[in-house]
Amino acid sequence: MEFAELIKTPRVDNVVLHRPFYPAVEGTLCLTGHHLILSSRQDNTEELWLLHSNIDAIDKRFVGPLGTIIIKCKDFRIIQLDIPGMEECLNIASSIEALSTLDSITLMYPFFYRPMFEVIEDGWHSFLPEQEFELYSSAISEWRLSYVNKEFSVCPSYPPAVIVPKAIDDDALRKVATFRHGGRFPVLSYYHKKNGMVIMRSGQPLTGTNGRRCKEDEKLINATLRAGKRGYIIDTRPLNIAQQARAKGGGFEQEAHYPQWRRIHKSIDRYHILQESLIKLVESCNDQTQNMDRWLSKLEASNWLTHIKEILTTACLAAQCLDREGASILIHGTEGTDSTLQVTSLAQIILEPRSRTIRGFEALIEREWLQAGHPFQQRCAQSAYCNSKQKWESPVFLLFLDCVWQILRQFPCSFEFNENFLIMLFEHAYASQFGTFLGNNESERCKLKLQQKTMSLWSWVNRPSELSKFTNPLFEANNLVIWPSVAPQSLQLWEGKSCILCKPIIDSPGCCLDCLWVQEYVYTAVYIRYYLKIRRYITSFYCDKNTKFTNVILNCTQRWSSISRCCETVSRALLRVT
C-alpha cells in the first residue's frame, strides 16, 4: 500500500494552530505518511511535528467556510486546527483518520525512521538476560540460565532465556508450563542479595474445578525455599475472582499441595476498569463547565488514586515479606503480564538501589516489562479519547509510571532520573519513532526483526546530550530500602502528565504558573472530604452501645490529627496566593 493513496490533500496554507498555554500560530499544514506538520515559516516559532500514531481521536466542526479539526492525542494533548475551506478540512480529517489507524505494524514509523544522531550504543543489546544474570553472582550456585524457551515453543510471551532454580531441569519446566496460564511457569524476577530471598512471577495455575495438581510445579516453587522457611504467594486478584477463574480452567494454589506457602489475595483492577478510570479522570479535567466541588467529586469517582494506592500497597507488602520477614514470594494474577509486573517492578524499586538509577531503571523496564511479555501493542493501542471500545486497552504501564512518580516525589534524592524521564517513557510507549515498545512480546518482536529494522529507544536516551535532560540534580546514592507512604495525604495527581488537563480549574491564564499550589489545595480538599466520611462513620460507631468509649476516642484523636495537618497544608497554599 502506498501512503499517497490515503493522503487526499497533502498541503493547506493559512491554517491556524491552537494549543493550551501557547499563542496561536498561522502557517502551512503538510501531511506525510507518518507525520502531521505545521510550519509558520517565521523565525523563533516552534514547528509542530505530530506522529499519526499518537492521534487517539479527532472531531470536526464547521462554521461557514471555515472548518476546525480538534485532534486528541494519546499523550493527552488537545490540538485545534482552523482550516480554510470545507473540502480541504474534510480531506485532511479523512486522511488523518486513515493514517492513524493502520493495521500493519510494519507500516508504522519506526520501520522508516533513520536516526540523525551518532549511535554510540546499540540499545538492543544493552540489557540481555545473560548480562543481568551476571549481576546475581552470589546466586549462581542455586540458579541457572535456561534456554528451554529458545524457539518460543514453551511460552510465547517469555524471552528465550529465563532464570530458574538449578535443581529443576528443562523437562520439568515443560511440564510446569502446561500447568500454568499461557505457559508462564515460575521464573526468577529478583534476587535479594541481603538475605538470598527471591521474587518469582508466573501465570495462574490451571487447577480447574477438579483441583488438578502438578508435582513438578510444587517442586519448582519449593526449590526456592531455605530449610525451615515459609514462602508467600501473592495473588493480585481478590479471592472471589480467583475462585471464579476455576470454572474457566484457572484457579490458585491449593494449601494442601503447597503447605509451606501462605496465599495472600490482593485486589488490583485490570483491563476495562483501569481504562474507564483513565477516561473519567481525563473527562473531569477537560470539563470546563464544572465548579471546584463538582470537579472534586468527579476526580474521586474516577478512582485513579485508589488504583495507585492498591498497587503501591501490594508492592510494599511484597517488599516487606522479602526484606523484613526473610521469605521468598511468588506473584501472579491471571495471565501474569499486567498487575504482576506492576508489583514485581515496584518492589524492586523499593528494595534495590540500582533500579533507582537511569540504567538500572532501563534494565528494569526491559527485563520486567518488555522481556516479561507485557502486551504493549494491545494495551497502548488507544488512550483516553478514542470512541471505539476495544477489549485489551488498559493504562497498566502508565499506572506503573505514576506509582514510580509517587515514590520519587517522596524520596526526591534517591532517584538518579527525574520526572521528565518518566514522561518520556509514557510518550514513547504510546507513539514513538523507535521500535522498543512495538509488539506484545519477544516472540512477536523477533518475527518482526525489530533489532535489524528499527532503532532502540535506549540508543537515543543513553547519549550524554540526552541523559542530561533526564538526570536528577538532587540525586545522592541511597543504598537503603525506601518505604513509600500510601496514606491518602501522601498520594497526589501527577502534575507532569496532568498539568494541561487541570487547566479548566484554573481561572486566569497566569495561574498556570501556580499549578503546584493549586493541586496541593485541590488534593487537600479531597482528603478533607474523605475525613468527613470517616468522621460520620466514627459518629455512628459511637452510637453503638456495644462499642468501647476508649476506642472511639482513640480513633477520633488520630483522625483529628490527620485533618489538622491537611488544614495546615491548605493554609500554606493560600498564603502563597495572597
Side-chain angles (χ1 to χ4, degrees), residues 250-532:
F252 49 86
E253 292 81 0
Q254 300 292 328
E255 294 180 0
H257 301 154
Y258 301 85
Q260 294 177 275
W261 294 81
R262 177 189 173 190
R263 193 178 69 251
I264 302 174
H265 288 272
K266 303 298 290 184
S267 180
I268 299 180
D269 290 316
R270 50 202 285 270
Y271 291 165
H272 65 280
I273 297 178
L274 300 181
Q275 186 71 4
E276 290 173 1
S277 177
L278 178 63
I279 291 173
K280 290 179 181 178
L281 174 66
V282 173
E283 285 179 350
S284 66
C285 294
N286 283 330
D287 186 357
Q288 302 187 27
T289 62
Q290 60 193 351
N291 55 31
M292 178 67 75
D293 188 63
R294 184 183 174 192
W295 186 79
L296 291 174
S297 297
K298 296 182 73 172
L299 174 64
E300 181 182 343
S302 73
N303 286 324
W304 184 259
L305 293 176
T306 301
H307 296 313
I308 291 174
K309 179 180 181 296
E310 291 297 333
I311 297 170
L312 282 174
T313 300
T314 308
C316 289
L317 171 64
Q320 183 177 2
C321 291
L322 210 70
D323 185 72
R324 294 186 174 178
E325 298 192 22
S328 292
I329 58 176
L330 169 66
I331 302 175
H332 69 74
T334 301
E335 294 89 354
T337 58
D338 293 294
S339 58
T340 299
L341 306 184
Q342 289 174 328
V343 176
T344 59
S345 302
L346 290 168
Q348 293 180 54
I349 290 173
I350 294 171
L351 295 168
E352 178 57 52
R354 177 174 176 258
S355 297
R356 303 193 286 268
T357 65
I358 292 178
R359 289 195 69 89
F361 192 76
E362 292 172 355
L364 181 73
I365 297 298
E366 189 73 33
R367 183 179 66 252
E368 291 298 303
W369 289 88
L370 293 164
Q371 296 174 7
H374 178 67
F376 279 97
Q377 200 70 38
Q378 293 179 344
R379 299 291 183 267
C380 301
Q382 297 174 352
S383 187
Y385 294 118
C386 188
N387 296 322
S388 60
K389 301 296 182 182
Q390 301 294 327
K391 184 178 181 180
W392 304 112
E393 283 76 4
S394 183
V396 176
F397 187 63
L398 174 58
L399 266 170
F400 161 70
L401 294 176
D402 203 329
C403 290
V404 175
W405 178 83
Q406 302 289 342
I407 305 176
L408 187 154
R409 191 184 62 81
Q410 295 182 29
F411 298 91
C413 299
S414 297
F415 288 80
E416 185 184 15
F417 53 85
N418 57 24
E419 177 186 27
N420 294 331
F421 188 64
L422 300 177
I423 295 174
M424 178 273 296
L425 290 173
F426 158 62
E427 292 173 345
H428 282 276
Y430 279 86
S432 177
Q433 67 268 42
F434 304 104
T436 300
F437 292 105
L438 290 181
N440 292 308
N441 49 58
E442 288 294 283
S443 176
E444 290 187 9
R445 296 185 187 100
C446 184
K447 292 177 182 177
L448 292 169
K449 298 181 179 180
L450 294 184
Q451 293 189 19
Q452 294 80 23
K453 296 183 178 181
T454 69
M455 179 65 58
S456 169
L457 172 65
W458 314 128
S459 298
W460 171 70
V461 170
N462 290 329
R463 296 162 57 239
S465 59
E466 295 300 324
L467 281 177
S468 61
K469 303 175 184 177
F470 306 128
T471 302
N472 177 13
L474 301 177
F475 174 64
E476 183 176 350
N478 178 7
N479 293 324
L480 300 176
V481 176
I482 56 177
W483 297 103
S485 170
V486 296
Q489 61 267 28
S490 300
L491 303 178
Q492 293 186 11
L493 193 65
W494 184 4
E495 295 95 347
K497 72 173 175 55
S498 59
C499 182
I500 294 178
L501 293 177
C502 291
K503 186 177 184 298
I505 68 168
I506 303 173
D507 294 327
S508 62
C511 284
C512 64
L513 298 176
D514 296 320
C515 186
L516 292 179
W517 79 256
V518 170
Q519 296 216 353
E520 188 173 1
Y521 170 79
V522 166
Y523 283 92
T524 304
V526 172
Y527 307 145
I528 291 176
R529 176 171 298 184
Y530 277 122
Y531 167 73
L532 292 176

Side-chain angles (χ1 to χ4, degrees), residues 3 34 102-113 377 438 444 447-450 453-454:
F3 290 114
H34 297 102
L102 296 174
D103 293 329
S104 175
I105 296 180
T106 56
L107 293 177
M108 301 184 75
Y109 186 51
F111 287 92
F112 297 83
Y113 172 71
Q377 200 70 38
L438 290 181
E444 290 187 9
K447 292 177 182 177
L448 292 169
K449 298 181 179 180
L450 294 184
K453 296 183 178 181
T454 69

Side-chain angles (χ1 to χ4, degrees), residues 207-263:
T207 58
T209 54
N210 296 326
R212 179 189 172 201
R213 66 182 294 189
C214 176
K215 293 185 177 180
E216 289 79 8
D217 184 82
E218 298 164 16
K219 181 180 178 181
L220 190 159
I221 296 178
N222 289 332
T224 66
L225 294 178
R226 300 285 177 86
K229 291 285 187 178
R230 290 176 58 88
Y232 291 89
I233 298 175
I234 298 180
D235 194 326
T236 60
R237 307 165 295 177
L239 179 58
N240 62 321
I241 299 298
Q243 291 174 335
Q244 292 173 12
R246 298 176 63 184
K248 301 178 181 179
F252 49 86
E253 292 81 0
Q254 300 292 328
E255 294 180 0
H257 301 154
Y258 301 85
Q260 294 177 275
W261 294 81
R262 177 189 173 190
R263 193 178 69 251

